[in-house]
Amino acid sequence: MQSSIFARWARGHRFESHVVLPAAISLLLMAMYFSGNATLQNIVAPDMENMPLFSAREFGALEMLQNFFLLCIGFYSIRCFMATGDSWVRLVTLLLFFISVFVFLEEIDYGAPFIEYFTGVHGSLAAETWDRNWHNKTSASGVQNVSYLKLMSNIGLLAGFVLAPLLLSSVRNRTLKLLVPSRWMIATVVLIVLLRFLAHYLDDAGYSMIAGNPGNLDKNISEFRELNMYYIFLLYTALLHERIIARQ
C-alpha cells in the first residue's frame, strides 16, 4: 500500500509538520476571528440570518476544518488497519477509526445543522430537550458530558504524546516501537497548550467583540483547541501508516 503525499511530507519535515503547519493554521484563524472585522470573523465562525448561532457556526472554516481532520483520521486509521499484520496495531487503529467516526458525528450534530438549514426549522438550546448530540447534554449533576471528554482527551494527550515518547521510545518490543509517537509530538503538545492560552487571552481581552457584541464563538473559544487536538491525531495516524510501510 502506497503512502500519501501528506504523510511522506510529514515524515521528511518534522519541524514543519509538528510545529509550523499547526501554528500557521491556528494563528491565521485566530487573526481573522480576533481582527475586529465582521467579515473575517464570519469566515471563521459565521452568523447566518434566520439560523441560531450554535448551528450557524458549523458552516465556518474552523468547524469545517475540524470535520476534515476527523475524516482524515478515519481514513489513515483504516489504511493502517489494512496495511499491518500486527493484531495489536490493528486493534488500536480500529479503535481510533471508531472514535474518529463518533467524534465526527458528534461535531456535525448528526447532520442537524444541515437539515435545519434546508428546512428552516431549528431546535432550541433548552437543556431538558437537547437531543442534537451527546457531548452537550447535561447530566443530573448539572455537568455537561463534554467536560468528561475534555478530561479524557487531556489524559490521552499527556499519556500518549508526552509520557509515552519520553518513557517508551527505546523499548525493544516491535509493536510498542511502532505505536509510540516520536518525541516531536511533545513539541506539538506544547504548541497546543500555548495556542489555547493565547485564544483565551484574546477572548478575555475583548478582541472577539464587534460593535459591542460578543464574538460568534462566545463561550466556545475552546474550538481552537479542538482543532489542534484533531490535528495531532491526524499527524499521528499519518506517520503511523508511514512506519508500517517502512517496516514492510
Side-chain angles (χ1 to χ4, degrees):
M1 185 176 288
Q2 294 183 344
S3 61
S4 67
I5 295 174
F6 172 73
R8 286 198 305 271
W9 174 80
R11 188 181 184 189
H13 300 81
R14 299 288 185 169
F15 179 68
E16 291 86 348
S17 60
H18 287 75
V19 178
V20 176
L21 181 59
I25 293 173
S26 289
L27 291 175
L28 175 60
L29 291 172
M30 285 186 199
M32 295 170 67
Y33 181 76
F34 295 110
S35 65
N37 183 289
T39 301
L40 293 177
Q41 187 177 99
N42 273 275
I43 293 174
V44 178
D47 179 10
M48 301 170 67
E49 189 177 356
N50 299 323
M51 282 195 74
L53 192 56
F54 63 83
S55 287
R57 286 195 298 256
E58 300 293 334
F59 295 88
L62 181 57
E63 294 270 7
M64 287 295 186
L65 199 53
Q66 289 178 5
N67 297 336
F68 175 70
F69 285 173
L70 286 166
L71 289 174
C72 289
I73 294 168
F75 168 75
Y76 279 115
S77 297
I78 286 297
R79 292 196 64 165
C80 289
F81 177 84
M82 295 173 63
T84 185
D86 189 302
S87 299
W88 284 106
V89 176
R90 281 195 158 194
L91 180 62
V92 170
T93 53
L94 189 62
L95 180 62
L96 285 173
F97 171 75
F98 284 122
I99 290 174
S100 67
V101 171
F102 170 73
V103 176
F104 172 75
L105 292 174
E106 284 285 311
E107 281 289 349
I108 65 170
D109 294 342
Y110 299 87
F114 307 96
I115 296 172
E116 292 174 353
Y117 175 78
F118 289 107
T119 62
V121 180
H122 308 290
S124 71
L125 278 171
E128 61 275 8
T129 60
W130 185 266
D131 60 358
R132 298 169 66 87
N133 55 41
W134 176 83
H135 71 274
N136 285 130
K137 276 184 175 291
T138 303
S139 65
S141 60
V143 179
Q144 279 191 323
N145 292 331
V146 70
S147 300
Y148 305 114
L149 286 179
K150 286 181 178 178
L151 176 61
M152 291 171 60
S153 65
N154 288 337
I155 293 173
L157 199 68
L158 177 63
F161 297 112
V162 176
L163 295 180
L166 286 175
L167 302 177
L168 302 175
S169 59
S170 59
V171 295
R172 294 184 178 181
N173 182 278
R174 284 174 58 84
T175 300
L176 280 178
K177 203 169 186 64
L178 192 65
L179 289 172
V180 173
S182 76
R183 293 188 177 184
W184 274 105
M185 287 295 189
I186 300 173
T188 312
V189 173
V190 173
L191 178 67
I192 291 173
V193 174
L194 293 176
L195 290 172
R196 174 193 176 278
F197 280 117
L198 176 61
H200 281 278
Y201 167 77
L202 293 172
D203 191 50
D204 293 340
Y207 287 101
S208 62
M209 297 186 69
I210 297 177
N213 297 314
N216 293 341
L217 289 174
D218 185 42
K219 299 179 182 179
N220 283 274
I221 209 68
S222 60
E223 295 292 344
F224 287 104
R225 174 185 174 276
E226 288 180 24
L227 177 70
N228 288 310
M229 284 286 293
Y230 300 152
Y231 176 82
I232 197 172
F233 279 96
L234 163 59
L235 187 62
Y236 171 72
T237 52
L239 291 174
L240 177 59
H241 186 257
E242 284 294 293
R243 286 185 178 186
I244 293 171
I245 292 175
R247 174 174 288 188
Q248 291 174 343

